[in-house]
Amino acid sequence: MAIVAGVDFGTLSVRVSIVDSERGLLATALAEYPLHRKREDPEYATQSHDDQMRALASATREAVHKAHIPGDQVQALAVDTTGSSVIPVGKNLEPLDEYYLWCDHRAKAEAVEITEAAHREGLRAIQWCGGVYSSEWGFSKLLHWLRHNPSKRADFVSAFEHCDMAAATLCGITDPRKVKRSVCAMGHKWLWNPDLGGLPSEEFLLKVDPLFAGVREKLQGECVTSDQIAGKLSAFWAEKLALKAGIPIPVGAFDAHWDAIGAGCRTEDMVNVVGTSTCIIGITPSVNLVPGVCGVVQGSVHPRRTGIEAGLSAVGDIFNAIASRTGTEVATLSLGLEKYQAGQTGLLRMTWDNGDRTVLVNPNLRGITVGWNLQSTAQDELFAAIEGTAFHTRIILDRMAEHGVNIKRVINAGGIPQKNNVLNQIYANVLGRPVLVPSRSVVSLGSAIFAFLAAGAFKTVEEAQDKICPEHAVFTPENAAERVYHTLYALYQKLYFAFGQPRDARFGDILPTLIQVAERANAHD
């Protein structure tokens, strides 16, 4: 028997779960921290490292207390985080700024420059992330920071993903060279590929921008999978967390990847981790490069398999925005949605409110709703938005299938599916296949599984999953709704590619131009 702590840093809060290898979940606790945004700059999203670590200490102490165990019984702790959430650091790993959060899109121009340089210079690594580099990823954000913080450049020592920074902090590591970096983070977001020489060359980076001089060297470190140990809990943080010093902390990963493991993901499964955004995470037995799909990385989800990642830039955030505009909450606005029929609103909703992560990889998009009439309501739009996220998910899964990715099962995980059977049924109807939903929340359960591996309680991920993961509820397609959605999906595809591709001469310039006009207007305020 072993007891471990699984930690999940989300967009607005950290959740800590105390899990027993025999008895299962003993207790969970949550602590919030602020997300910093600016109304005048909708692309801006940052968070404080100190705020997050204080929240971690609070949640861990509460979880241990609620579990009714002494803190020294916890044998390991594992951490997953959002990503790509990037922090520049100075000496002794002191933050030079806040995290550029995953949903910070200020680095749009930098992403375009990296993509163009990669194709111009024949950088092979660009094909492993779908052929387009994103403003949500590491090099884009770091270049944006270097360009906009000239007074801090001299103090810049390195940059880290949140999962690696958190683990290093807990272990008391202050030398950037001794920080083990997550294969999950570096492979999916930093163009790292061991078969291609690791990170892109200094020569390539300098062709993107001379400000990258020396950056490759500063980012060097051992990149390893999450079955490896990042270090041991320091005495300082052991006291803060009310745990025992010296317990192992495995190398971290992104929350969606470990949520997929917690949801029971096996080879050839695809997991929709549906929360504020959606990450689509899968495990594939063979390497299939898919245009527009943002990462194919060996060892990123399962240490011994190839991980594949895609996703939607906003889902729950869109639902919340629709509700907040009406002065209510999603739960209230959702009352009665179970009575809606497929397509009854007459609305078709493009869920690009925060851009497109996959397959267009285009941040210069915004939401579109087609089909309004004078009787259309906010609840109609919410239902159409759920349908829209399902259509977008089908776009992604269809693209994967077209390029040889076999999908045996679709699992809906994350924070929303356990609370929203309407969404799960719509997904089954749109995808035309059964959708499995864990019978209880799996948030931080993936972290617990990797903590168990670090503690030696289980030998393999699969052994831990068999013992720890919950059963699935199954939502099967409804024939009548499936037929309606087959018709609507064809329309969705037309809109998706006509408005979403920037080089489309007919409509591809409309949404980017609206964004540019708004940005110029706000700049004069």
Side-chain angles (χ1 to χ4, degrees), residues 201-234:
S201 68
E202 173 88 351
E203 179 184 10
F204 169 76
L205 293 174
L206 288 176
K207 288 181 178 178
V208 175
D209 193 303
L211 287 177
F212 272 143
V215 164
R216 186 183 194 274
E217 180 66 19
K218 292 177 179 179
L219 295 175
Q220 291 289 12
E222 185 181 5
C223 294
V224 293
T225 51
S226 293
D227 56 347
Q228 303 298 308
I229 303 301
K232 295 183 177 181
L233 184 64
S234 71

Side-chain angles (χ1 to χ4, degrees), residues 214-450:
V215 164
R216 186 183 194 274
E217 180 66 19
K218 292 177 179 179
L219 295 175
Q220 291 289 12
E222 185 181 5
C223 294
V224 293
T225 51
S226 293
D227 56 347
Q228 303 298 308
I229 303 301
K232 295 183 177 181
L233 184 64
S234 71
F236 176 85
W237 280 102
E239 181 180 359
K240 293 279 189 184
L241 275 57
L243 301 179
K244 180 174 61 176
I247 62 174
I249 298 175
V251 173
F254 291 151
D255 51 1
H257 296 69
W258 279 7
D259 279 350
I261 292 294
C265 183
R266 298 294 181 95
T267 300
E268 295 187 331
D269 286 348
M270 206 62 60
V271 181
N272 302 315
V273 184
V274 186
T276 53
S277 68
T278 287
C279 282
I280 299 174
I281 305 295
I283 300 173
T284 178
S286 58
V287 176
N288 293 281
L289 301 184
V290 183
V293 170
C294 61
V296 179
V297 178
Q298 174 66 28
S300 67
V301 182
H302 186 293
R304 300 290 176 263
R305 305 282 188 275
T306 299
I308 187 166
E309 177 189 354
L312 284 65
S313 291
V315 177
D317 276 348
I318 295 175
F319 305 159
N320 286 331
I322 293 169
S324 65
R325 285 195 290 267
T326 67
T328 188
E329 297 179 348
V330 174
T332 302
L333 194 60
S334 297
L335 295 175
L337 285 185
E338 69 278 0
K339 299 177 182 177
Y340 275 58
Q341 301 298 310
Q344 80 166 55
T345 67
L347 303 177
L348 200 57
R349 181 68 152 79
M350 310 303 296
T351 49
W352 285 331
D353 300 44
N354 201 27
D356 183 288
R357 181 182 297 165
T358 313
V359 296
L360 301 173
V361 197
N362 183 358
N364 291 309
L365 298 174
R366 290 295 180 265
I368 302 173
T369 305
V370 177
W372 288 107
N373 64 54
L374 294 177
Q375 281 72 47
S376 297
T377 67
Q379 191 172 56
D380 292 341
E381 186 187 5
L382 178 60
F383 190 80
I386 296 172
E387 292 175 322
T389 64
F391 288 136
H392 194 167
T393 300
R394 181 171 169 181
I395 290 272
I396 295 167
L397 298 186
D398 283 356
R399 174 65 65 90
M400 289 183 181
E402 289 165 6
H403 290 270
V405 177
N406 190 39
I407 301 171
K408 284 185 177 178
R409 301 191 302 174
V410 174
I411 302 172
N412 273 6
I416 291 179
Q418 275 81 26
K419 307 170 188 174
N420 197 322
N421 287 341
V422 171
L423 179 142
N424 298 320
Q425 188 60 60
I426 289 173
Y427 274 51
N429 293 337
V430 169
L431 299 178
R433 61 196 304 161
V435 169
L436 283 64
V437 181
S439 57
R440 57 180 172 83
S441 174
V442 298
V443 175
S444 73
L445 190 57
S447 293
I449 286 173
F450 282 95

Side-chain angles (χ1 to χ4, degrees), residues 1-4 19-23 73-75 452 455-458:
M1 185 185 79
I3 297 175
V4 301
V19 186
D20 187 297
S21 59
E22 295 296 330
R23 294 176 291 167
Q73 286 191 11
V74 175
Q75 298 178 32
F452 280 127
F458 299 106

Side-chain angles (χ1 to χ4, degrees), residues 93 160 168 171 173-181 220-222 229-231:
L93 255 67
F160 289 97
C171 295
I173 299 171
T174 57
D175 182 349
R177 290 285 187 170
K178 294 182 179 179
V179 177
K180 292 184 179 179
R181 295 180 183 263
Q220 291 289 12
E222 185 181 5
I229 303 301

